[in-house]
Amino acid sequence: MTTTAPDARTYEAVFDATVAADERIEPRDWMPDAYRASLVRQIAQHAHSEIIGMQPEANWITRAPSLRRKAILMAKVQDEAGHGLYLYSAAETLGTGRDELLDKLHSGRQKYSSIFNYPTLTWADVGAIGWLVDGAAITNQVPLCRCSYGPYARAMVRICKEESFHQRQGYELLLTLSRGTEAQHAMAQDAVDRWWWPSLMMFGPPDDESAHSAQSMAWKIKRHSNDELRQRFVDICVPQAESLGLALPDPGLRWNEERGHHDFGAIDWDEFHEVLRGNGPCNEERISRRRQAHEEGAWVREAAAAHARKHGGTPGEARA
Amino acid sequence: MTSADWPLWEVFVRSRRGLSHTHAGSLHAPDAAMALRNARDLYTRRSEGVSIWVVPSADITASSPDEKDPFFEPAADKPYRHPTFYDIPEGVRHL
Ligand SMILES: [Fe+2]
Ligand SMILES: [Fe+2]
C-alpha cells in the first residue's frame, strides 16, 4: 500500500531501482502516490476509449453489406468490449474499481479518446476506422507492452495481439471499395479524408504542450513521445495509402530525404481542444448512449445476482 | 448484492493438453458458473484454451513483496542446487 511509512525512502529507492532496471512494478509493491494516480488516469481513459469506441462501429452492424462483413464487424466490436474489461481489471489492481470508473465516465469526470466523437457516416468509415484509428492505436500501444506497470503491460500484450486483425480487416474493406465502382472508390476516399486528421490527433498534443509526458517517460509508463509516435504512424501510412489507391488529404505531405521521414501539414489543434472540451459532433450522443446501455443492462446484473443468491451464493457468502 | 459487490475471480487457462493452467487475468461475476462463462468469452475468443479454472481472488494466499528478501533467502545461498556449480573435467560425456 502507499503509505508514508518511516522507511518510505527505502521503499522509494527499491521502486526507483526496479524501474531503472527495466523490471516491472507489480500490484502489491510500494509505489509513489503520483505514479498510481497517473496510471489510474491513463488506464481509465484507455478503458473508456475501448468501450465508447464500440459505438461508432456498432452503428453499421445491422447494415453490413454481407454476412462475412457483418460477422467480422461483430467480432471486432466484441473484442473492443474485451479490451475495455482487460483494462478495467488492470485499473482495479491499483485499488480503483470498475463501478467507480464507469461513474466517472458517465458523469463526464473522466475522458475517452476524442476520436470517437466523430460520426460514422458511410460504410467506408468502418474501413477507415480499422485502418487508421486501430492503426494509430496499435502504434501507441505496442510500446505500452513494455510499460513499467506489470498488469497494464500484460493487458496491452493481449490487446495488441487482437488489434492486428482489426487493422487488416479495415484495410481489406477499403481496398475492396477502392477497387470497386467509381461511387465506391469515392466513398472510400471521402472516409479517408474525414478520418486522417483526427487519427493524427490520437497521439495527443505536441510534445512541448503535453502535460503528463515527461513524468510518464521517466516512470517508463510511456516509452516514446507523442510526436515521435505520430511521425512513425505517418511514415507507415503513406505507402499503405498508395497501395490502396487512395490519397491522404494533406498537400504538405512529402518525403524529407534529410530527416528520413515524411513532412506533413499542421494539425488543427483548435479542433482537437474543442472536441476534447465536449463540442465534437457526437460527444453528447456517445455518453448518453453509454448511460442508457448501462441502465438498460441493470436487469441482467440483477438477475445474475438473484440466481447466485438462490443457488448457493458466492463463495464469500458461503463461508460467512 | 449489486454488481459492485460481485466477487473478483482469478482466471487460469490451459492453452492445450500437456501444458499447465496459466494465469490469464481476472473478472467479476456473481457466482462460479457465471465466472466460467465470462472467462470463456473474455479470455478464449480465439481458441486460446481447452480448460479454464476460476478461483475467488479472496481465497488466494500470497507472499508479500515486502517480505521478499527473508522469505526467499533460504534458496539464495545454495548454488550447489544447480548443476552449473560442479566442475567436471572436459571430455566427460553424458553428465
Ligand atoms: Fe481495442
Ligand atoms: Fe481495435
Side-chain angles (χ1 to χ4, degrees), chain A residues 88-115:
Chain A
Y88 286 121
S89 293
E92 188 165 356
T93 64
L94 294 159
T96 311
R98 197 199 313 175
D99 292 78
E100 181 185 337
L101 295 179
L102 283 179
D103 264 357
K104 287 185 173 160
L105 170 65
H106 295 162
S107 59
R109 280 174 293 159
Q110 277 178 345
K111 299 204 179 307
Y112 53 89
S113 175
S114 64
I115 190 82

Side-chain angles (χ1 to χ4, degrees), chain A residues 172-288:
Chain A
E172 188 206 63
L173 194 166
L174 279 182
L175 189 65
T176 308
L177 291 175
S178 177
R179 292 179 176 172
T181 65
E182 214 172 292
Q184 286 172 329
H185 181 90
M187 183 166 75
Q189 183 61 60
D190 167 67
V192 170
D193 288 349
R194 282 181 290 107
W195 289 96
W196 173 249
W197 290 106
S199 300
L200 294 192
M201 294 175 195
M202 284 176 69
F203 296 92
D207 293 348
D208 44 8
E209 287 167 33
S210 179
H212 306 288
S213 270
Q215 183 59 73
S216 285
M217 301 260 282
W219 278 328
K220 297 189 182 172
I221 296 174
K222 269 182 87 148
R223 297 278 180 163
H224 307 277
S225 78
N226 296 353
D227 286 331
E228 208 179 325
L229 291 169
R230 187 167 13 245
Q231 179 72 62
R232 187 178 295 178
F233 179 65
V234 170
D235 290 339
I236 288 171
C237 285
V238 170
Q240 292 179 347
E242 251 163 58
S243 300
L244 275 177
L246 297 171
L248 295 173
D250 179 1
L253 195 62
R254 66 177 58 85
W255 177 250
N256 182 325
E257 188 67 57
E258 212 170 293
R259 292 201 307 124
H261 291 292
H262 292 85
D263 290 338
F264 53 98
I267 292 169
D268 182 357
W269 291 112
D270 290 343
E271 176 182 321
F272 175 76
H273 290 297
E274 268 307 291
V275 177
L276 214 56
R277 257 195 294 276
N279 303 323
C282 302
N283 296 57
E284 195 57 42
E285 182 186 334
R286 298 289 184 242
I287 284 297
S288 60

Side-chain angles (χ1 to χ4, degrees), chain A residues 50 79-80 83 134 141 159 163 166:
Chain A
E50 299 284 355
D79 272 356
E80 306 300 4
H83 296 175
D134 288 89
Q141 289 170 358
I159 288 175
E163 285 294 345
H166 298 183

